[in-house]
Amino acid sequence: MKLVEWVRFSWDFADLPAMELELPQHYRIKPVTTEDEKPLRQVISRCFCLDPVWSPALHETLQMIESWLGRALQSDRHICLALRHGARIIGASVLSLDPESDNHLSPGPCISMEYRNRGFGSLLLEHSFNTLHQAGLARAFALTRGNTSVARFLYPKFHGVSAPIDRMPLLAA
């Protein structure tokens, strides 16, 4: 078995690039409500299930994400954001408002497969950072696998600084 390689990204909000991306008409990003829990969980789990990068440790990863979601949905120190196209949730990001957290994006931007490569991940990440900054945080951190799209493209686009970590015990089968 091979250890799954994880990286920790960090952002200093004083150094974020000015993006101010426009959300297309008929789309909106809002905090989730209690009736959004099931579609929120479906969008996030499908994003991981349909991405082959996660398949070597999918079961363990989904358990970890379910744990994060369970805590986030019952805590006032977390915000779950939903990207909606009309009434349908097509993306989500779960944010920890705890300044001491080592993972403020748990998970970070998840976009349904059919909506990817249209800039929605950037829009959701920018909105996530604005929400964290407005909550009083000066920095943010995120954990991900090193070979994911967010690690290779999205997080560096926002000047994320990556460092390998070894604290995640997941093993690839």
Side-chain angles (χ1 to χ4, degrees):
M1 285 199 209
K2 177 182 158 189
L3 276 176
V4 174
E5 294 178 28
W6 290 85
V7 292
R8 180 180 191 225
F9 277 85
S10 62
W11 295 268
D12 183 339
F13 290 147
D15 294 334
L16 280 182
M19 291 259 182
E20 299 182 24
L21 303 168
E22 290 279 331
L23 195 59
Q25 195 174 21
H26 305 294
Y27 293 88
R28 65 188 194 287
I29 300 172
K30 298 281 185 197
V32 299
T33 62
T34 53
E35 59 268 5
D36 294 328
E37 182 176 347
K38 184 176 178 182
L40 175 84
R41 288 180 183 274
Q42 288 174 337
V43 164
I44 291 172
S45 65
R46 283 186 189 137
C47 286
F48 284 89
C49 289
L50 296 175
D51 189 339
V53 170
W54 291 99
S55 58
L58 184 61
H59 180 69
E60 294 87 355
T61 301
L62 289 177
Q63 286 179 335
M64 185 172 53
I65 290 167
E66 281 298 317
S67 171
W68 289 342
L69 282 173
R71 280 194 309 265
L73 291 167
Q74 298 177 9
S75 167
D76 60 349
R77 299 296 301 152
H78 290 80
I79 294 177
C80 301
L81 298 175
L83 170 62
R84 296 174 190 274
H85 182 202
R88 181 178 178 216
I89 294 177
I90 62 161
S93 186
V94 181
L95 311 176
S96 169
L97 302 178
D98 179 2
E100 302 301 316
S101 177
D102 65 348
N103 192 11
H104 294 102
L105 302 168
S106 56
C110 296
I111 305 295
S112 295
M113 285 294 187
E114 64 270 27
Y115 288 88
R116 289 191 181 173
N117 299 317
R118 299 185 199 178
F120 290 121
S122 295
L123 286 162
L124 191 53
L125 185 59
E126 181 182 46
H127 195 86
S128 297
F129 285 154
N130 289 337
T131 300
L132 291 168
H133 189 62
Q134 289 171 3
L137 277 72
R139 298 184 60 79
F141 301 100
L143 304 174
T144 189
R145 293 201 51 199
N147 59 343
T148 61
S149 295
V150 294
R152 293 183 8 227
F153 305 111
L154 184 60
Y155 288 171
K157 181 179 182 177
F158 285 82
H159 299 173
V161 177
S162 68
I165 60 169
D166 61 356
R167 75 177 256 280
M168 304 299 283
L170 299 183
L171 296 172

